[in-house]
Amino acid sequence: MKEITGDIRYIGVNDHQLDLFEGQYIVPNGMAYNSYVILDEKIAVMDTADQHFTEEWLGNLREALGGRKPDYLVVQHMEPDHSAGIAAFMQAWPEAEIVATAKAFAMMKNFFGTDFGDRGRKAGEGDTLCLGKHTLQFVTAPMVHWPEVMFTYDRQDKVLFSADAFGKFGALDAEEEDWACEARRYYFGIVGKYGPQVQAVLKKAAGLDIRIICPLHGPVLTENLGYYLDLYNTWSSYGVETDGAVICYTSVYGHTAEAAELLAEEMRKLGCQKVAVNDLARCDMAEAVEDAFRYGRIVLATTTYNADIFPFMREFIQHLTERNFRGRRVGLIENGSWAPTAAKVMKGMLEGCKDLTFAEPAVKILSAVNETNREEIRQLAKDMMA
Ligand code: FEO
């Protein structure tokens, strides 16, 4: 059990059994479901954990309580990776109350068949809860990542409990890894669509003196908080984080892959420091999505398929458009043995995205890369780097 401050303890759990987080994201280093307890005259517990860890989490909580009873369970987010233990908690401590937004109580009724009646206290923007020395201030954060979400600010220890925000994939007992890598994949996969809502809550957070961030996933952040806040600002405003480019392709017999690699080589020759190349059929699609939002340049290369485009490319572009993809320089490479239409289809799918600039020329491969294509690829590389 880890001490976060003199009165705040970590009581979360690590999950190394999970195959797919939220039913779709691989988690090679597992996942952490964080939970905390604030020990004051009154005791507040911050969220619960995933259903497979209710007993372990309750054990951690009991150990932290040292025989005392909790007064409040603060529910910041109702997604089951954090809320599954609510009913067990309420049964274990019949005098405890839940503190949550009105929307969270409505969700409790749907998940548990009860909103716990008079054992609930509704919290809204700016509401406070005094525990003794510690006063908790609630900050609503709708759509970061669900509509009922709230953050909690402990005025005494200057700790921001940030729900899913500032979280990452990876268990806390796994080998230490670069925070941004798995936080970016997590952010764009899970919250990427809700940039404006993240911006709104960052503005509210800017008015608070924050010394520690306690998210519901990933490590507690205690140093250099400006780094994390700046990254969240870049990500949620769809800004470019890293100078470079990403080339995402699908290829059936290797010819489109060859074109993608040739283009990468040309762009590197022109001084592009970092060119990431992703085979969408084989890579982790969530890695390709985070790359698309990380760099300012993206090239999409695919095959004409059933008078449309190859399925992995269709899925990838859908991931981008539903997350408000915008503000990038885009290059297109199409392949088709008799009636290539892929470039037109890809451009059409991106039509609703704001502030895209299409680089020229769109490369048209008729089965295999020929000399004309090599010249087109050199020209496209130049225009991508313009
Ligand atoms: Fe970690 Fe949105 O749940």
Side-chain angles (χ1 to χ4, degrees):
M1 187 184 33
K2 194 175 145 198
E3 194 174 295
I4 309 293
T5 69
D7 299 325
I8 301 178
R9 304 282 183 276
Y10 179 84
I11 55 165
V13 297
N14 290 310
D15 185 350
H16 289 285
Q17 310 304 320
L18 189 66
D19 60 344
L20 293 174
F21 180 69
E22 291 191 358
Q24 58 174 320
Y25 299 103
I26 58 164
V27 280
N29 287 327
M31 199 66 199
Y33 311 115
N34 296 342
S35 171
Y36 308 88
V37 58
I38 307 169
L39 302 163
D40 200 342
E41 287 163 34
K42 301 269 189 187
I43 294 176
V45 177
M46 308 302 294
D47 296 290
T48 72
D50 179 86
Q51 60 173 336
H52 300 101
F53 298 87
T54 302
E55 284 312 310
E56 186 181 337
W57 169 73
L58 281 172
N60 291 349
L61 173 55
R62 284 201 175 92
E63 192 187 332
L65 290 170
R68 293 180 65 192
K69 287 183 185 168
D71 298 277
Y72 305 109
L73 174 62
V74 178
V75 174
Q76 300 184 108
H77 185 14
M78 276 301 295
E79 197 166 8
D81 50 333
H82 312 292
S83 68
I86 292 177
F89 174 95
M90 294 302 271
Q91 207 176 356
W93 289 285
E95 282 130 49
E97 289 181 310
I98 295 180
V99 183
T101 60
K103 281 200 171 75
F105 283 110
M107 288 181 180
M108 278 174 226
K109 192 141 175 77
N110 296 334
F111 275 112
F112 302 112
T114 172
D115 60 6
F116 301 96
D118 59 3
R119 295 180 64 194
R121 282 188 185 215
K122 285 197 182 80
E125 180 66 36
D127 286 352
T128 57
L129 178 70
C130 183
L131 304 176
K133 278 191 301 178
H134 296 256
T135 295
L136 304 183
Q137 176 183 332
F138 301 110
V139 179
T140 57
M143 300 321 296
V144 186
H145 141 234
W146 279 13
E148 84 298 359
V149 171
M150 67 177 185
F151 293 0
T152 305
Y153 178 64
D154 173 9
R155 290 177 181 171
Q156 171 71 21
D157 288 349
K158 308 198 185 317
V159 174
L160 181 70
F161 296 92
S162 62
D164 274 340
F166 303 101
K168 68 183 271 297
F169 296 120
L172 298 188
D173 58 357
E175 228 172 86
E176 224 175 280
E177 58 190 359
D178 176 48
W179 183 88
C181 179
E182 283 295 68
R184 188 189 303 105
R185 187 169 72 97
Y186 175 90
Y187 175 86
F188 284 110
I190 289 165
V191 196
K193 180 179 176 61
Y194 302 108
Q197 289 86 346
V198 175
Q199 283 278 302
V201 79
L202 286 177
K203 284 199 176 74
K204 289 195 260 181
L208 303 170
D209 176 12
I210 302 166
R211 307 275 167 88
I212 297 174
I213 297 176
C214 289
L216 286 177
H217 303 288
V220 172
L221 307 174
T222 55
E223 283 171 7
N224 201 8
L225 298 189
Y227 167 76
Y228 305 101
L229 288 159
D230 281 353
L231 275 180
Y232 254 63
N233 187 36
T234 302
W235 296 344
S236 57
S237 58
Y238 304 95
V240 173
E241 179 192 340
T242 307
D243 190 25
V246 60
I247 301 172
C248 296
Y249 72 88
T250 66
S251 190
V252 185
Y253 293 106
H255 299 105
T256 315
E258 183 190 345
E261 292 296 350
L262 281 171
L263 180 68
E265 214 176 288
E266 290 298 328
M267 289 177 75
R268 286 184 194 117
K269 274 193 219 160
L270 293 170
C272 196
Q273 297 290 324
K274 170 82 190 153
V275 186
V277 181
N278 294 313
D279 173 354
L280 295 176
R282 294 176 178 82
C283 72
D284 169 17
M285 186 83 76
E287 289 277 358
V289 169
E290 68 159 286
D291 281 347
F293 286 94
R294 178 177 186 175
Y295 302 107
R297 304 176 183 93
I298 184 169
V299 178
L300 305 172
T302 197
T303 324
T304 304
Y305 191 79
N306 288 337
D308 199 282
I309 54 175
F310 209 60
F312 296 104
M313 180 59 80
R314 174 160 281 281
E315 183 191 340
F316 178 63
I317 297 176
Q318 273 165 354
H319 281 302
L320 301 188
T321 54
E322 70 192 25
R323 287 167 175 76
N324 298 324
F325 189 66
R326 63 176 67 183
R328 262 66 184 164
R329 194 167 192 83
V330 183
L332 300 174
I333 298 175
E334 67 177 352
N335 196 345
S337 291
W338 61 94
T341 53
K344 191 170 156 221
V345 173
M346 289 191 285
K347 203 165 182 180
M349 287 184 75
L350 294 166
E351 213 164 38
C353 298
K354 286 185 193 155
D355 305 326
L356 297 186
T357 307
F358 286 90
E360 297 290 341
V363 177
K364 186 190 289 285
I365 304 164
L366 296 164
S367 302
V369 176
N370 61 22
E371 274 315 308
T372 308
N373 295 144
R374 287 177 189 275
E375 182 51 30
E376 284 171 341
I377 287 168
R378 279 192 284 273
Q379 292 308 318
L380 177 61
K382 275 189 200 151
D383 203 32
M384 283 302 294
M385 297 306 294

